[in-house]
Amino acid sequence: MFVQQLEPVAGSLGLSALVATLPLLTVLVLLGAVRMKAHRAGLIGLAVAVLVAWLAYGMPLGQTASSAAQGALFGLFPILWIVVNALWVYRMTVRTRHFDILRRSFGRLSDDPRVQALVVAFCFGALLEALAGFGAPVAICSVMLVALGFDPVRAAVVALVANTAPVAFGAMGTPVVTLAQVTGLPLDTVATVVGRQTPLLALVVPLLLVWLVDGRRGLRETWVPALACGLAFAAAQFAASNYVSAQLADIGAALIGAGALMAVPHARRPAAEPVRAAVPTGARSEDLDHEDPRPEVLRAYAPYALIVVVFSLAQIPAVKDLLAKATRTFDWPFLDVADPSGEPVGGNVFSLPLISTGGTLVLLAGVVTAAVIGVHARVAVREWAATVHELRFAILTVTSVLALAYVMNLSGQAATIGHYVAAAGAGLAFLSPVLGWFGVAVSGSDTSANALFGALQVTAAQQSGLSPELLAAANSSGGVLGKMISPQNLTIACAAVGLAGREGDLLRKVLPWSLGLLLVMCLIVVGQSTVVLGWMLP
C-alpha cells in the first residue's frame, strides 16, 4: 500500500505545494508562452507529474503508471465518449444540411451578431451544457458562430467565455451531484448555495460577450437585451436549483433566457452598422433570405429536442434505476493507495456507467436523429469514425491531461496544494473558489474538481469555523471559471473551428477574463461568509 504524504519535500507544506504545482505550471507555460501544441504540452505535463509523484512523493512507478492509466480511461469514458457522440450528431446535421437550416433559423432571430452571440453561445450553449457538457457546447457553438460569419478565433473565445454560468449544473447536474456525494452534504443544500452564486455570473457574462464581439459600442448598443437575457437566465437558474431540481436548472435557464432575449424589441432589429470586429461585411445575411420549409426546420431542431427527451426520460426514477444496473464497479488493478490518515482512497475503485452516462444517452439520441433526418446507417457509422479521426489530437490531449490529474490526485500532490490553501485561515473564503478553479484548469471538469477538492473544502471549513456548505459550493462555482483555460477545452475549441495548434493563442485571450471573473466570484464568497452578503445564504 502506498500512503500519501502531505509534506514530502523537506517536511514543509509550502515547499511541497510549490513542487506539486509544477505539472500544471508546465502545461500552462508550454501553452501560453512557448505556444506548444496542446497534446504535446499535455504529455510533457504528464511526464512532470509522474516524476514529481515518483521522486518527491515516493509513489512506486507501477502505481503511478496505473494512476495515469485510470485517468486516461476516465478521459475516454465518460468525457470523450459524450463529446464524440455530441459532435457526431452535429456532423450528421451538417451532412444533410439541416445544420444550415438551424443556422438560418437562428440568424433570422436577429441580424445583429452581438445578439447572435447571446442566442448561440450563451443560451443554446447553456442548453447543450445542461444536456451533454464536457466540451460539447464549446465545440458546437463555436462552429455555429463561424457558420454565421464570425472570425474563428473570436468565435472560439466567445464560446469559451459563454461556457461558464451553466457549468455547475451541467450534464444534468452531475457536478453538484458529485459534490454532494463526496462531501456527504445533502444535494438540495449544496445545489441551493451554488444556485445563489453562479446566477450572479449570469448577470455579467452576457454583457461581457457583447463586449467581446463589438467592444464598447457593442456594450452601449446591446446592453438592454444582454441584461434582460442575463437576468432571466439568473432568475430561472436560481429558482430551479433552489425550489425545483438541480438536474433541470440549466434547461429551464437556457430556454427562459432565450425567450427573454427575443422578447426585447431591440434584440430583433439589425445592427445599425456592420460589426466588422466580428463578422466580414455582408456575411451575416449571406443566405438568410432563403426560405426553408417548415417540416425541414422542425427536423433541424429535432436532434436537440431528441436529446432533451432522452435525458428527461433517463431522469425518471424507475428508468434511472434500470439504466444504473448496467454500471460496472471493480477494483482498479495495480493500485492500492491510502490517504495520509491511512484510509483507502476512492480511486482504488473504478465505475463504468455503461448506459446511464451522458455519452450513451447522446448516442441513443443520435441513432434516432439519423432516422429522423434521413442518414443511412452506413453513412452514420462513417460520420462517427470521421468524428473520432477529427478529434484525434483532442483525444490525446484530454487523456494525457486527465492522466496528469489522476497522478496528481492519487500521489497526494493535489491534497498538498489543497491543504496549503486551507491553511490560509481567515483568507480561506477568498481562496476557496481558487481551489476549484485550479482543479478545473487541470482536469477540464467541474465534476472532477468537486471530486478532487470537495471533501477537503468541507474539512477546512469546519476547522476554520466557516460554513461547510458555502465552501463546498464555492469549489464548484469557482471551478466553472477555470473551464475556459483548461487544455482540453482549448483543444476542443481549436479543433472545432480549424485552429489546430493555436491553443496558446486562445489561452492568452481568455486567461484575463478567467482571472477577472474568478476575482468577482472570490469577492462574492467572501461577502457571503460575512454579514455583508451572508443574508443570501439559506
Side-chain angles (χ1 to χ4, degrees):
M1 175 180 286
F2 167 71
V3 180
Q4 296 173 348
Q5 301 177 61
L6 292 178
E7 304 173 353
V9 181
S12 167
L13 185 62
L15 287 176
S16 300
L18 181 63
V19 172
T21 60
L22 288 178
L24 178 63
L25 291 176
T26 298
V27 173
L28 293 180
V29 169
L30 290 178
L31 281 177
V34 183
R35 301 191 182 189
M36 182 177 290
K37 291 184 178 180
H39 63 279
R40 293 176 181 169
L43 289 172
I44 293 175
L46 171 59
V48 173
V50 168
L51 288 174
V52 171
W54 177 39
L55 298 177
Y57 280 77
M59 190 179 198
L61 274 178
Q63 297 214 46
T64 305
S66 182
S67 302
Q70 184 179 151
L73 179 58
F74 183 75
L76 291 171
F77 190 96
I79 292 180
L80 285 165
W81 180 235
I82 198 169
V83 173
V84 167
N85 289 325
L87 289 180
W88 170 59
V89 173
Y90 156 73
R91 285 183 65 100
M92 288 194 293
T93 64
V94 171
R95 186 179 184 90
T96 59
R97 300 193 179 278
H98 284 94
F99 180 80
D100 292 334
I101 296 173
L102 185 67
R103 173 176 59 84
R104 286 193 288 269
S105 177
F106 280 158
R108 290 190 193 97
L109 292 175
S110 174
D111 193 32
D112 190 330
R114 299 164 297 193
V115 176
Q116 289 172 350
L118 294 175
V119 172
V120 174
F122 190 69
C123 297
F124 186 57
L127 181 62
L128 292 173
E129 181 67 35
L131 301 173
F134 295 111
V138 169
I140 294 175
C141 291
S142 56
V143 169
M144 188 172 285
L145 290 173
V146 169
L148 284 169
F150 280 65
D151 170 76
V153 173
R154 193 177 299 272
V157 170
V158 168
L160 284 165
V161 173
N163 189 223
T164 49
V167 168
F169 297 103
M172 303 306 292
T174 299
V176 290
V177 170
T178 301
L179 185 61
Q181 289 174 342
V182 300
T183 59
L185 299 173
L187 172 59
D188 291 344
T189 303
V190 173
T192 295
V193 181
V194 174
R196 298 175 189 222
Q197 294 172 342
T198 56
L200 298 176
L201 290 177
L203 300 176
V204 178
V205 171
L207 297 170
L208 177 55
L209 294 180
V210 298
W211 173 278
L212 288 172
V213 172
D214 194 29
R216 187 176 300 173
R217 185 183 74 163
L219 189 60
R220 184 178 66 251
E221 295 181 357
T222 52
W223 70 268
V224 174
L227 188 59
C229 178
L231 280 170
F233 185 101
Q237 191 182 63
F238 163 76
S241 60
N242 277 262
Y243 306 113
V244 184
S245 166
Q247 287 86 347
L248 301 177
D250 280 346
I251 293 178
L255 296 176
I256 292 174
L261 175 62
M262 289 298 99
V264 177
H266 176 63
R268 301 184 66 86
R269 294 202 302 268
E273 304 172 32
V275 185
R276 294 183 179 87
V279 184
T281 304
R284 296 191 318 252
S285 55
E286 179 186 39
D287 60 349
L288 297 184
D289 292 334
H290 180 79
E291 196 65 37
D292 296 304
R294 183 172 295 274
E296 291 304 307
V297 174
L298 293 176
R299 292 172 77 189
Y301 280 90
Y304 306 101
L306 285 168
I307 292 175
V308 171
V309 169
V310 169
F311 273 83
S312 298
L313 290 174
Q315 295 305 307
I316 297 174
V319 178
K320 193 172 186 177
D321 293 341
L322 182 63
L323 297 179
K325 290 182 179 179
T327 299
R328 296 291 177 264
T329 302
F330 55 91
D331 293 331
W332 187 257
F334 310 113
L335 194 64
D336 188 10
V337 179
D339 63 23
S341 65
E343 294 295 322
V345 300
N348 293 329
V349 179
F350 193 79
S351 293
L352 282 174
L354 299 175
I355 299 179
S356 59
T357 188
T360 304
L361 297 177
V362 173
L363 177 66
L364 175 60
V367 171
V368 181
T369 292
V372 170
I373 65 177
V375 178
H376 190 277
R378 188 182 303 108
V379 175
V381 172
R382 279 205 302 267
E383 287 296 333
W384 194 91
T387 303
V388 174
H389 182 265
E390 179 184 343
L391 291 176
R392 61 193 183 281
F393 292 117
I395 290 171
L396 183 57
T397 300
V398 172
T399 52
S400 61
V401 171
L402 262 295
L404 176 155
Y406 269 62
V407 169
M408 289 185 66
N409 185 20
L410 291 168
S411 66
Q413 296 172 54
T416 295
I417 297 168
H419 278 80
Y420 181 74
V421 173
L428 182 58
F430 184 87
L431 293 176
S432 185
V434 178
L435 198 58
W437 176 87
F438 167 79
V440 176
V442 173
S443 67
S445 164
D446 200 35
T447 300
S448 298
N450 287 342
L452 203 61
F453 294 132
L456 178 61
Q457 295 270 22
V458 170
T459 301
Q462 292 168 341
Q463 292 174 349
S464 59
L466 294 171
S467 164
E469 293 82 5
L470 174 62
L471 295 200
N475 192 82
S476 190
S477 299
V480 306
L481 301 170
K483 190 139 187 182
M484 68 178 84
I485 65 165
S486 66
Q488 54 266 54
N489 248 31
L490 292 170
T491 303
I492 289 169
C494 285
V497 297
L499 295 174
R502 295 185 59 184
E503 291 85 359
D505 293 339
L506 281 189
L507 175 62
R508 284 189 294 277
K509 288 183 178 296
V510 299
L511 182 59
W513 301 113
S514 177
L515 293 174
L517 291 172
L518 176 63
L519 176 60
V520 172
M521 182 54 65
C522 290
L523 294 176
I524 290 171
V525 174
V526 170
Q528 291 179 335
S529 70
T530 66
V531 294
V532 177
L533 295 178
W535 53 268
M536 294 179 62
L537 299 180

